Amino acid sequence: MDPSIGNCTGEFRLLSFSVSADVQIVFFLGILLMYSLILLGNLVIIVLISLTPHLHTPMYYFLCNLSVQDIIYVSSILPKFLAITISKVLRITFPGCVTQMFFFTFCVGTEFLLLTSMAYDRYVAICIPLRYTTIMSKVTCVLLPVASWLVGFLTALIHSLMVSFASFCGSQDINHFYCDLKTVIKLASSDTTHIETLLLVVCIVLGLFPFLLILTSYIFIISTIVKIRSSKGRMKAFSSCSSHLTVVILFYGTPLSSYMIPESEHSQEKDKLLSLLYTAVVPLLNPLVYSLRNNDVMSAMKNINEKYFRFPSVAGNIMNH
């Protein structure tokens, strides 16, 4: 598509954070470290699950999808952020901005639904364990992630097409470190009511509604755990879903607060800090939460290490503590 159709100048400027040169260097090094660790951590999770037969279960299949999504997610945002931070070149082309917006929306929508699928898996495993293998069949385990990716893709495609046909003939300065949809449409010189309405609907359908489903699942899960007589049994049941619950709280809290709290109640700088939290910190915590406190994953890491690499057993040391 010709950029001049949707954008008078063909490009935007990402203003990022208003900080001194020294702080920008610290920002660059910190984000570069986080990006590297996110890629490494999620790749390790994917490889471990792929190479370890006893991890070929619904929960870890969903986790593998979550790791793939996290890699795409951060790679659509952080490399450009690193580039503008170190080079001071703030320009991003209009097609580049729309592409970044597409992948961000695609991944956020997909993660909401993947986390909902994982909550359903935990609900079935804890509340109706005798029917677990029947309900969470191979077909179900394929359909749920496929549906999550497909819905995320279609939502992102609709948003991107609508923005592509909007006009941007005024200010080209995006007061953010990436092409945030809510920030970009404020710069439009054409009517964006339809885009804003769709954004609100998507926040409800792909954000609030799945969150309510997860909340309902955990009400039943906690109710079932409380009824378990042995403390060991209660701890085992809770530990099987604690990692997922932690990720849900971290991931849902930041984007929903950013998109659903009225503008007057928080500044753009707070918006950017919240965005940095869920575009860098949360994806970094995901592999840590699902690995360091998970004996199955740590055991798999130890076995893969002994079989292929024979490095000093860091995984074994962590497990022993």
Side-chain angles (χ1 to χ4, degrees):
M1 186 183 80
D2 184 354
S4 62
I5 294 174
N7 185 295
C8 292
T9 64
E11 66 181 24
F12 290 112
R13 292 174 71 248
L14 291 169
L15 300 184
S16 190
F17 292 91
S18 302
V19 294
S20 65
D22 291 339
V23 175
Q24 279 190 327
I25 294 173
V26 174
F27 247 60
F28 175 81
L29 294 175
I31 297 300
L32 179 61
L33 177 62
M34 283 194 285
Y35 182 50
S36 302
L37 291 175
I38 290 167
L39 294 182
L40 178 62
N42 282 290
L43 284 171
V44 167
I45 291 290
I46 293 168
V47 170
L48 282 177
I49 293 173
S50 300
L51 296 180
T52 309
H54 79 266
L55 294 183
H56 294 174
T57 62
M59 181 176 73
Y60 292 108
Y61 179 63
F62 293 137
L63 178 57
C64 193
N65 276 267
L66 193 65
S67 292
V68 172
Q69 179 276 141
D70 271 343
I71 291 173
I72 300 171
Y73 178 45
V74 297
S75 297
S76 69
I77 302 292
L78 297 187
K80 184 62 180 179
F81 181 30
L82 290 169
I84 65 176
T85 301
I86 198 66
S87 69
K88 308 297 194 324
V89 178
L90 307 180
R91 295 189 302 272
I92 183 170
T93 64
F94 183 63
C97 191
V98 172
T99 301
Q100 191 180 69
M101 203 180 301
F102 168 81
F103 280 106
F104 175 79
T105 309
F106 174 33
C107 290
V108 170
T110 301
E111 180 152 0
F112 279 144
L113 296 175
L114 284 173
L115 290 173
T116 308
S117 300
M118 295 172 81
Y120 178 67
D121 172 72
R122 292 300 83 204
Y123 162 75
V124 176
I126 293 173
C127 298
I128 40 178
L130 297 179
R131 296 178 57 195
Y132 181 77
T133 54
T134 303
I135 296 174
M136 299 305 296
S137 63
K138 289 184 179 180
V139 174
T140 303
C141 292
V142 170
L143 286 179
L144 287 176
V146 167
S148 300
W149 287 101
L150 183 59
V151 171
F153 174 82
L154 292 175
T155 303
L157 182 63
I158 293 170
H159 270 120
S160 301
L161 289 174
M162 292 174 80
V163 172
S164 296
F165 288 105
S167 297
F168 297 88
C169 298
S171 172
Q172 308 302 313
D173 292 343
I174 300 174
N175 190 13
H176 221 298
F177 62 88
Y178 70 97
C179 289
D180 173 58
L181 177 60
K182 192 172 66 170
T183 307
V184 170
I185 60 178
K186 291 178 185 176
L187 304 178
S189 52
S190 58
D191 181 38
T192 59
T193 304
H194 54 303
I195 303 177
E196 293 170 1
T197 302
L198 178 63
L199 180 59
L200 179 61
V201 171
V202 168
C203 281
I204 294 171
V205 175
L206 292 188
L208 194 57
F209 183 62
F211 179 73
L212 291 176
L213 290 177
I214 293 173
L215 186 62
T216 303
S217 297
Y218 273 100
I219 289 173
F220 283 107
I221 288 170
I222 293 171
S223 176
T224 302
I225 291 175
V226 168
K227 294 176 184 176
I228 298 175
R229 294 184 177 181
S230 70
S231 57
K232 185 177 180 181
R234 286 195 298 271
M235 287 300 298
K236 184 178 179 181
F238 183 74
S239 65
S240 71
C241 58
S242 59
S243 297
H244 174 260
L245 186 59
T246 303
V247 171
V248 166
I249 293 170
L250 289 170
F251 184 77
Y252 268 84
T254 45
L256 285 183
S257 62
S258 174
Y259 274 82
M260 302 195 77
I261 293 175
E263 291 291 328
S264 59
E265 296 186 22
H266 60 89
S267 68
Q268 185 63 22
E269 290 303 309
K270 287 182 180 179
D271 234 5
K272 287 188 279 188
L273 287 173
L274 279 172
S275 298
L276 186 61
L277 186 63
Y278 66 78
T279 54
V281 179
V282 173
L284 175 62
L285 292 177
N286 281 358
L288 296 177
V289 168
Y290 278 109
S291 61
L292 292 181
R293 305 309 302 172
N294 187 313
N295 288 335
D296 288 337
V297 173
M298 297 308 295
S299 176
M301 191 181 297
K302 182 180 178 182
N303 292 337
I304 294 296
N305 174 46
E306 291 175 350
K307 185 175 182 179
Y308 295 101
F309 305 106
R310 299 186 183 280
F311 291 141
S313 183
V314 177
N317 292 335
I318 296 173
M319 289 178 67
N320 290 335
H321 286 83

